[in-house]
Amino acid sequence: MRIKFIGNPKAGKENLRKIKMAVHCLRESAADVQTFVTGKKGDAEAWARESTTEGVDRVVVAGGDGTINEAINGLAGSTIPLGIIPLGVSNVLSLELGLPLSIERASETALNGAVKSITLGMANNRYFSLWTGIGFDAEVVCRLNLRFKPYLGKLAYILTGLKVFLKYKAYLIDIITDTGEQLKGYSAIISKSKFYGGRFKVTPEAGINKEELDICLFQNGTRRDILRYVLGIVTGRHLSFRDVVYRKVKGLKITSQGRVPVHIDGDCFGELPVEISLKTDAVKLVFPK
């Protein structure tokens, strides 16, 4: 089997060592492995896209959710399967797929797991496998200092979140779903994954294999409300709040009058407006058997 391996050494501590271990494991399984190590944003996407004309049998990515998102955007629409070796801070897609976290077992799965086509979300012109975040959480993602993330891990998000919380100004967002329903709020998660930021379940009914998008809309935007929502998510009680709306849709449009940030799979994506839709059988992923 001819493998194109893409590793991100900046996704977490000691990742260069783990990347070398993963390459060794793949080669031990008699795979022909070409190794590429990312140096900047966009490398993984470009190399994954190039693989579609290079005759490789499989692309294997070792990194976090952001690196995996790049590879997915590079491979979307092709028949080349994507295997994943989790090296990031949260590894949410790996949790969603049920992938092992050990390098040896993840490498074995990447080579010999079950290949399945999945439906992706699409925000404007970019694919996502997990979520699009609108509002407060996107502001945290967009203000995160990426130089510290590999060393601080989840603590980097907590510290940035506290800093954003003290100064955050929320703007009203308007949502129109594919059914014509009109909703208003201040923050939203549009998801294809039941997990968020690790094992938190903002959209507990979502799933990577489902042909739908789950929306969790937070309808108030004061700092007191944001704190209440965060605590609700941590305790799993947020869906019982009167000002939290949960919907299942096939698509939606989101606009605002003020500056509202957007993130996709944990990477900053810019600002509203955004149109979100579904793309059936968009990419092939390797699942555990």
Side-chain angles (χ1 to χ4, degrees):
M1 182 182 290
R2 189 179 178 199
I3 302 292
K4 187 167 190 176
F5 177 90
I6 302 170
N8 180 5
K10 296 182 179 179
K13 291 182 179 179
E14 299 184 353
N15 272 2
L16 191 57
R17 178 184 63 81
K18 293 178 181 179
I19 285 171
K20 292 178 180 178
M21 183 188 303
V23 172
H24 174 75
C25 291
L26 293 171
R27 286 178 174 157
E28 282 284 293
S29 299
D32 176 10
V33 184
Q34 298 174 296
T35 303
F36 296 80
V37 177
T38 63
K40 63 183 185 302
K41 186 177 177 63
D43 281 348
E45 182 171 347
W47 290 332
R49 183 170 289 112
E50 289 170 1
S51 71
T52 62
T53 61
E54 294 173 337
V56 303
D57 299 301
R58 187 160 300 186
V59 173
V60 175
V61 170
D65 291 315
T67 308
I68 296 165
N69 175 271
E70 286 194 22
I72 284 173
N73 275 272
L75 286 175
S78 79
T79 59
I80 299 174
L82 175 64
I84 296 168
I85 298 174
L87 294 185
V89 173
S90 298
N91 300 310
V92 177
L93 183 56
S94 297
L95 287 173
E96 182 70 30
L97 298 179
L99 294 175
L101 296 181
S102 77
I103 301 298
E104 295 86 352
R105 291 176 60 207
S107 299
E108 195 278 332
T109 298
L111 279 181
N112 301 310
V115 176
K116 300 178 185 179
S117 292
I118 68 163
T119 294
L120 294 174
M122 177 173 274
N124 291 344
N125 61 348
R126 190 152 189 90
Y127 293 102
F128 64 92
S129 60
L130 296 171
W131 2 254
T132 294
I134 314 290
F136 177 76
D137 73 312
E139 185 75 11
V140 174
V141 168
C142 291
R143 291 188 177 274
L144 185 70
N145 190 323
L146 297 179
R147 291 179 300 172
F148 298 139
K149 181 181 173 182
Y151 306 102
L152 297 178
K154 292 183 180 181
L155 181 59
Y157 288 97
I158 295 172
L159 295 175
T160 304
L162 290 172
K163 185 177 180 180
V164 170
F165 176 76
L166 295 174
K167 297 182 178 180
Y168 184 66
K169 181 178 181 180
Y171 291 97
L172 189 67
I173 63 175
D174 294 290
I175 297 177
I176 301 178
T177 73
D178 62 306
T179 63
E181 184 179 14
Q182 298 185 26
L183 302 168
K184 294 182 181 291
Y186 286 89
S187 287
I189 305 293
I190 300 93
S191 183
K192 288 207 82 264
S193 168
K194 62 179 172 291
F195 295 114
Y196 187 90
R199 295 184 180 273
F200 299 114
K201 295 182 179 180
V202 179
T203 50
E205 297 177 14
I208 195 75
N209 290 314
K210 296 184 178 181
E211 304 290 320
E212 61 193 7
L213 296 162
D214 285 35
I215 310 170
C216 189
L217 174 66
F218 303 93
Q219 293 188 300
N220 286 298
T222 68
R223 278 190 282 272
R224 182 177 180 179
D225 289 316
I226 291 171
L227 180 59
R228 179 167 54 87
Y229 295 145
V230 171
L231 292 175
I233 290 169
V234 170
T235 59
R237 296 178 56 249
H238 62 291
L239 296 185
S240 67
F241 297 169
R242 293 182 179 180
D243 55 349
V244 173
V245 176
Y246 197 94
R247 294 286 189 275
K248 292 178 177 293
V249 300
K250 300 291 186 180
L252 62 158
K253 296 179 181 179
I254 309 177
T255 59
S256 67
Q257 296 299 315
R259 174 197 166 275
V260 179
V262 180
H263 80 86
I264 290 178
D265 287 355
D267 277 353
C268 190
F269 184 61
E271 301 173 4
L272 292 180
V274 67
E275 183 170 351
I276 301 175
S277 58
L278 288 167
K279 184 69 172 179
T280 304
D281 295 331
V283 74
K284 295 181 182 297
L285 296 183
V286 182
F287 289 68
K289 287 184 176 179

